[in-house]
Amino acid sequence: MAIIQFSRMWNCKLSHLQSKLQALLKGGVICRTLQQPNFKSSFLLTIHRYHTVSKPLNCAWQQHEDHFELQYANTVMRFDYVWLRDHCRSASCYNSKTHQRSLDTASVDLCIKPKTIRLDETTLFFTWPDGHVTRYDLDWLAKNSYEGQKQKVIQPRILWNAEIYQQAQVPSVDFQSFLESNEGLKKFLQNFLLYGIAFVENVPPTQEHTARLAERISLIRETIYGRMWHFTSDFSRGDTAYTKLALDRHTDTTYFQEPCGIQVFHCLKHEGTGGRTLLVDGFYAAEQVLQKAPEEFELLSKVPLKHEYIENVGECQNHMIGVGPVLNIYPWNKELYLIRYNNYDRAVINTVPYDVVHRWYTAHRTLTKELRRPENEFWVKLKPGKVAAMIGAGPIQSQEPGDSSKSPTWTQGPKELGHLSLLSQVTADSWIGSGATGKWNNKVDQSSVYLCLSPLRQRVLFIDNWRVLHGRESFTGYRQLCGCYLTRDDVLNTARLLGLQA
């Protein structure tokens, strides 16, 4: 009889609860805690749903013993209670002017749980045992949850091989536009972030102008090679780059614990043949490995290697060591952010146990094959400035290379002409394109041949050294380059300030 009475009592209570829930449903809101009597607190389950008839909001949440679960924006998210207390944006916990945390994280009870939780429109309110209230916008939680970040790409990119890049017809940016307008700078950085390379055209062939370009977007990173480097094939440093030999594809400064982020190349002079620059999208090649051999991609992202640079040339004494895997990925979304590939500078492999070494070599070979596919090679010629000799009436124009600050001066006489073979390289278009004007005459006479010593302006190449590998073909003659490394953080900072995702 007692059992029958108990059963009737519960049926009555359940009917009453059901009628109340139906009434709430008609009102358009469900936000109620259901607690079953006589159960231990560790088995408490709080189920909350939020819905309005006029404006449906797909939101449901559950309060578990050790975490808070939120279903919103087609995503199920889970938040630790300490995390929710630690990230409170109230005035006492967070300084909105400096965007810094004021709350001492170490003061938060590691067993903390909210006393109550309520949802008002699109804002969640957590009341803690001490009475402090934390409020979170649903969109903020969705954006900053682990599950949200797991689906998000940190840096949007367009992966490319030679054909893809050429068909994209990525525009270069003019030197003056780059320096004088945010629009030109933003256009350049957008291309750079998407493709990992970008060009600036019409740059005077001097180290000073190259530095001006670099400083427009970043601090110049000073390294063992100095602030701005300026080199020829004189082997003045203990590096293969200071020779005329061909260089296979590689990334620079793998022997730094943090490899340099961006590299700038500017060919100032080349009196010879060859010397084309090779560019390969390392992320495109790595993506091919991921698709064809995911276990090899994973191995290349986990095995740490040493890279080493030992120099003993004249006064240059250096011994640099950097450690890290070939492929570096963010652990939460598996996004590749850095490739460290340089067969010249890879040190002795002594960080890998014997039973892993051969598998690593196999994976490395797979990546190398992708990097060396001819269709993945994009070749460019960084052309130096040209001296233009023109035929016309009047004196000879003489101006120092790259010096646009001085007005041209004019001299006359065949002695200043130098090599007359230069005449075969000159067209009226190149003369007019250099900014000079004059009257033309069809008669060729040494006394009326005029030489402009102001070279045509050149292009400067920016390379994402964390993504794009570079190399070069061998060359002959005298070749002079200048350039520098840029601080990656500063480049990305400039991009974000211009409204780009970086």
Side-chain angles (χ1 to χ4, degrees), residues 1 76 124 214 307 334 338 378 463 473:
M1 182 66 68
V76 177
L124 274 165
H307 286 77
K334 308 303 180 185
L338 164 64
F378 179 54
I463 301 175
E473 66 179 351

Side-chain angles (χ1 to χ4, degrees), residues 79-363:
F79 300 91
D80 178 76
Y81 291 129
V82 177
W83 186 97
L84 288 167
R85 181 64 186 90
D86 180 50
H87 287 81
C88 179
R89 280 343 193 212
S90 66
S92 62
C93 297
Y94 186 78
N95 190 325
S96 59
K97 291 183 178 180
T98 64
H99 302 282
Q100 291 176 304
R101 181 181 283 102
S102 303
L103 174 67
D104 178 14
T105 303
S107 68
V108 178
D109 183 359
L110 294 177
C111 298
I112 195 170
K113 298 172 189 175
K115 189 176 179 181
T116 62
I117 304 174
R118 68 181 178 89
L119 178 65
D120 183 8
E121 294 296 333
T122 59
T123 305
L124 274 165
F125 294 84
F126 296 83
T127 302
W128 303 103
D130 63 357
H132 184 82
V133 178
T134 296
R135 56 186 294 168
Y136 287 115
D137 183 79
L138 291 176
D139 289 330
W140 189 94
L141 286 175
K143 177 183 177 181
N144 291 284
S145 67
Y146 169 78
E147 292 79 8
Q149 288 294 313
K150 190 176 181 180
Q151 301 174 29
K152 183 182 177 182
V153 174
I154 300 297
Q155 178 59 64
R157 296 181 174 92
I158 297 177
L159 307 185
W160 53 269
N161 58 17
E163 182 181 7
I164 293 172
Y165 186 81
Q166 289 169 338
Q167 289 182 349
Q169 297 184 339
V170 184
S172 300
V173 176
D174 181 75
F175 174 66
Q176 294 299 330
S177 176
F178 182 92
L179 289 180
E180 298 173 1
S181 75
N182 285 339
E183 181 181 353
L185 182 61
K186 184 175 182 178
K187 176 183 174 183
F188 167 86
L189 285 170
Q190 188 167 32
N191 292 337
F192 179 79
L193 293 173
L194 287 176
Y195 294 96
I197 57 174
F199 297 90
V200 179
E201 302 284 356
N202 301 318
V203 184
T206 70
Q207 182 171 308
E208 291 71 27
H209 285 91
T210 310
R212 283 184 64 193
L213 280 182
E215 291 170 337
R216 173 78 164 114
I217 59 173
S218 169
L219 295 174
I220 295 176
R221 179 172 175 177
E222 188 159 2
T223 67
I224 57 175
Y225 302 105
R227 185 172 179 273
M228 293 289 299
W229 37 260
H230 189 280
F231 71 91
T232 63
S233 54
D234 58 1
F235 205 68
S236 60
R237 301 296 299 264
D239 194 293
T240 314
Y242 289 77
T243 70
K244 296 181 180 180
L245 301 175
L247 292 175
D248 192 20
R249 63 224 71 200
H250 64 281
T251 58
D252 270 16
T253 60
T254 53
Y255 40 78
F256 287 2
Q257 197 57 41
E258 180 185 303
C260 293
I262 287 86
Q263 186 166 19
V264 182
F265 278 119
H266 191 180
C267 182
L268 303 179
K269 196 172 189 180
H270 185 195
E271 299 170 349
T273 61
R276 289 183 305 162
T277 298
L278 168 64
L279 300 169
V280 178
D281 186 355
F283 285 10
Y284 179 89
E287 179 65 21
Q288 302 307 305
V289 176
L290 178 62
Q291 298 299 325
K292 299 174 183 178
E295 71 287 348
E296 294 182 356
F297 180 96
E298 183 178 11
L299 191 66
L300 291 172
S301 69
K302 289 185 175 180
V303 175
L305 296 175
K306 291 180 181 178
H307 286 77
E308 189 172 37
Y309 179 72
I310 301 174
E311 182 180 29
N312 187 12
V313 178
E315 296 181 357
C316 300
Q317 309 288 324
N318 293 292
H319 189 174
M320 311 293 293
I321 297 178
V323 182
V326 174
L327 304 178
N328 297 257
I329 62 175
Y330 295 123
W332 61 89
N333 65 354
K334 308 303 180 185
E335 180 182 346
L336 180 63
Y337 68 88
L338 164 64
I339 180 170
R340 191 190 297 252
Y341 185 98
N342 192 317
N343 204 54
Y344 297 103
D345 297 325
R346 181 163 44 79
V348 175
I349 300 179
N350 53 19
T351 55
V352 186
Y354 80 95
D355 58 335
V356 180
V357 169
H358 194 79
R359 289 195 295 121
W360 182 88
Y361 275 117
T362 301

Side-chain angles (χ1 to χ4, degrees), residues 17-45:
L17 284 171
Q18 186 177 8
S19 63
K20 293 191 72 174
L21 285 171
Q22 289 175 346
L24 286 169
L25 274 172
K26 290 179 181 179
V29 177
I30 293 181
C31 184
R32 181 71 64 183
T33 300
L34 302 179
Q35 182 173 333
Q36 298 179 1
N38 301 327
F39 272 56
K40 294 182 180 179
S41 60
S42 60
F43 290 93
L44 287 178
L45 175 64

Side-chain angles (χ1 to χ4, degrees), residues 25-72:
L25 274 172
K26 290 179 181 179
V29 177
I30 293 181
C31 184
R32 181 71 64 183
T33 300
L34 302 179
Q35 182 173 333
Q36 298 179 1
N38 301 327
F39 272 56
K40 294 182 180 179
S41 60
S42 60
F43 290 93
L44 287 178
L45 175 64
T46 307
I47 303 174
H48 295 256
R49 297 186 181 279
Y50 188 83
H51 174 72
T52 60
V53 175
S54 60
K55 186 178 181 181
L57 182 67
N58 295 322
C59 173
W61 51 276
Q62 298 182 21
Q63 183 178 351
H64 295 277
E65 177 67 15
D66 60 348
H67 70 279
F68 175 75
E69 182 177 313
L70 173 66
Q71 184 175 340
Y72 176 70

Side-chain angles (χ1 to χ4, degrees), residues 452-484:
C452 173
L453 295 179
S454 180
L456 302 182
R457 295 187 171 196
Q458 311 154 11
R459 59 165 34 179
V460 172
L461 169 62
F462 288 71
I463 301 175
D464 184 346
N465 187 56
W466 282 22
R467 171 183 174 181
V468 176
L469 286 70
H470 66 280
R472 71 156 186 246
E473 66 179 351
S474 60
F475 63 91
T476 65
Y478 180 78
R479 186 171 183 257
Q480 186 182 64
L481 274 80
C482 79
C484 59

